[in-house]
Amino acid sequence: MAPVDIDAWVWWLIGAAALGIPLVLTAMPELGMLAVGAVAAAVTAGLGGDTVLQVLVFALVSVALIAVVRPIATRHRAQRPELATGVEALKGKSAVVVERVDGSGGRIKLAGEIWSARSLDSDLAYEAGQEVDVVEIDGATAIVM
């Protein structure tokens, strides 16, 4: 039986799949960009492009994606989320003292809930009804001033 001659575009698709597997396992986006380059080379081979053109398309598409997409992805990864959630959203909010708050403790009403609280400055005390600002959340205790 004679060996089967596999077209070049099939080899490029095998290469793209081979790059896609470690992409999923390692979460390295560069491998995905190389896989897209391999798919572009497979299309070139399928349209009848010679080997030099296939390699050139692979290199150009891969380098272009890495040069353009990677910096954008890096910039987005470095940005802090614009919407604060959880205890981060409570910092800087105003609250009303329910029970006297001093350096050792007390209670405030914050975002519709009763929280334990203590004064940022242990020498200061806030009486019931006063408005305070939440500076920090320490566990389940709001630090106020």
Side-chain angles (χ1 to χ4, degrees), residues 24 69 79 84 86 102 117 145:
V24 173
V69 175
Q79 288 178 342
D102 55 24
M145 62 180 253

Side-chain angles (χ1 to χ4, degrees), residues 9-82:
W9 66 269
V10 174
W11 286 113
W12 283 111
L13 289 180
I14 291 170
L19 288 165
I21 293 169
L23 164 67
V24 173
L25 296 176
T26 64
M28 289 180 57
E30 294 83 2
L31 293 173
M33 295 173 211
L34 291 172
V36 171
V39 170
V43 170
T44 303
L47 294 174
D50 66 351
T51 305
V52 173
L53 183 60
Q54 294 169 31
V55 172
L56 187 61
V57 166
F58 169 73
L60 287 175
V61 170
S62 298
V63 168
L65 285 172
I66 290 172
V68 173
V69 175
R70 190 169 185 259
I72 294 170
T74 302
R75 190 173 342 118
H76 282 284
R77 205 177 321 165
Q79 288 178 342
R80 291 183 51 89
E82 293 180 23

